[in-house]
Amino acid sequence: MRKLMIAGNWKMHLNTHEASLLVHRLSERIDVHRNVEVVLAPSTLCLQPLSLEIDRRKFRLAAQNAFYKDEGAFTGEVSFTMLRDLVHYCIVGHSERRAYFHDTLEVVRNKVEAAVRNGITPILCIGETEHERKSGETKQVLHDQLTTALSNLTTNDVRDVVIAYEPVWAIGTGVTAKPAQIDEAVRFIRHNVAELYGQKVSEEVRVLYGAGVEPEYVAGVLSLDAGIDGLLVGGASLNYHKFSEIVNAAYRTRREN
Ligand code: PEP
């Protein structure tokens, strides 16, 4: 059975002191769950101190971004090679990076490849904007983002990649995606993976949902027929009440299903 993942993307919030406090509060409220992997993605600055602080039975760390070259004259960048002993995961292709930092399809592909080369599992975010959805381009966009991002990997590598379906129009906007919309998109993603890498890989690969997740949505989203293996949480992951409730609700849902 695919292991559930609940990942919190803290974005550009919290200094090291605040991050440490949040981890402490989460640790008080989250038990060790064998079937739920809880992943925290703080700013790059906080990864080193948090890696020494976290209870590794409860939490794993993810970077929010890294550069695809392993080393060199790239002022201001941090490579996957530098992160390899600190994190299990790295978010790649988040819509904010695509929109504000020129993470094009090719850049995302290079980052996915660099993550895998360095033993870090990419959490590959794909999703359509409001304009793309309204223009009927959702499937084309998901197809293009997915196929390009995975194109330098072997079938074996693809098995371990975590894909996050994140409709851009529902990220931090207060607009919620309907269950049928999520279900349809995730089915399409699995169908694409099956076409490219075979049915077995499409059944093994984990697909998360992210965008506006709140505790009350957890059971519904995780019970969709498309088979959703967890959640990528932005805003609500900064609130320890909400994030621990999301983790605990995921655990309850998995136990009941
Ligand atoms: C995100 O940015 O990945 C995200 C899911 O944000 P939010 O939960 O705030 O919509």
Side-chain angles (χ1 to χ4, degrees):
M1 192 186 234
R2 302 182 300 255
K3 195 170 189 172
L4 272 188
M5 175 188 287
I6 306 296
N9 174 11
W10 295 357
K11 309 194 182 187
M12 200 176 70
H13 295 287
L14 309 184
N15 62 28
T16 45
H17 174 69
E18 293 161 340
S20 164
L21 205 61
L22 179 55
V23 165
H24 179 73
R25 298 231 192 283
L26 291 174
S27 205
E28 288 174 337
R29 288 166 175 80
I30 292 174
D31 292 327
V32 177
H33 295 310
R34 254 186 318 122
N35 298 328
V36 183
E37 199 177 3
V38 182
V39 176
L40 306 175
S43 75
T44 310
L45 183 67
C46 300
L47 287 170
Q48 176 81 50
L50 290 190
S51 74
L52 304 173
E53 267 175 55
I54 52 166
D55 179 340
R56 285 161 192 257
R57 293 166 311 155
K58 292 186 182 177
F59 303 113
R60 287 187 157 175
L61 290 177
Q64 294 177 18
N65 176 49
F67 189 49
Y68 56 78
K69 296 282 188 183
D70 288 343
E71 64 169 90
F74 302 104
T75 302
E77 292 299 304
V78 169
S79 70
F80 287 94
T81 313
M82 292 166 174
L83 294 172
R84 55 183 307 159
D85 296 329
L86 286 179
V87 301
H88 275 85
Y89 297 99
C90 183
I91 298 172
V92 180
H94 192 281
S95 58
E96 288 152 16
R97 294 214 54 91
R98 292 183 197 259
Y100 308 136
F101 300 101
H102 311 293
D103 277 12
T104 59
L105 294 177
E106 290 70 30
V107 168
V108 170
R109 178 197 61 205
N110 293 346
K111 289 185 176 186
V112 166
E113 185 187 6
V116 171
R117 182 170 71 239
N118 283 286
I120 293 171
T121 301
I123 300 175
L124 169 67
C125 300
I126 59 175
E128 79 288 0
T129 62
E130 185 182 13
H131 174 74
E132 288 161 345
R133 176 163 281 268
K134 285 190 171 149
S135 320
E137 292 166 13
T138 299
K139 288 188 174 167
Q140 191 60 48
V141 169
L142 294 178
H143 174 269
D144 292 350
Q145 291 182 349
L146 189 71
T147 47
T148 319
L150 301 180
S151 61
N152 284 354
L153 302 187
T154 65
T155 301
N156 223 14
D157 295 331
V158 173
R159 261 180 242 281
D160 292 328
V161 171
V162 178
I163 301 167
Y165 170 56
E166 296 215 303
V168 180
W169 46 274
I171 296 182
T173 56
V175 180
T176 46
K178 295 192 177 69
Q181 293 172 315
I182 302 171
D183 199 61
E184 188 185 13
V186 173
R187 273 176 197 283
F188 179 73
I189 290 167
R190 285 203 189 280
H191 168 75
N192 257 256
V193 174
E195 280 197 337
L196 291 164
Y197 302 99
Q199 186 61 26
K200 190 152 183 289
V201 175
S202 104
E203 284 165 13
E204 286 173 358
V205 84
R206 288 192 286 178
V207 184
L208 314 183
Y209 171 72
V213 171
E214 294 286 333
E216 57 273 26
Y217 306 148
V218 175
V221 174
L222 295 184
S223 306
L224 290 172
D225 286 343
I228 292 176
D229 305 301
L231 303 161
L232 181 52
V233 186
S237 71
L238 294 165
N239 176 317
Y240 58 86
H241 290 292
K242 286 189 182 182
F243 192 67
S244 53
E245 188 40 37
I246 289 170
V247 172
N248 293 329
Y251 178 62
R252 284 195 300 274
T253 309
R254 177 46 63 98
R255 222 180 27 190
E256 284 158 15
N257 284 347

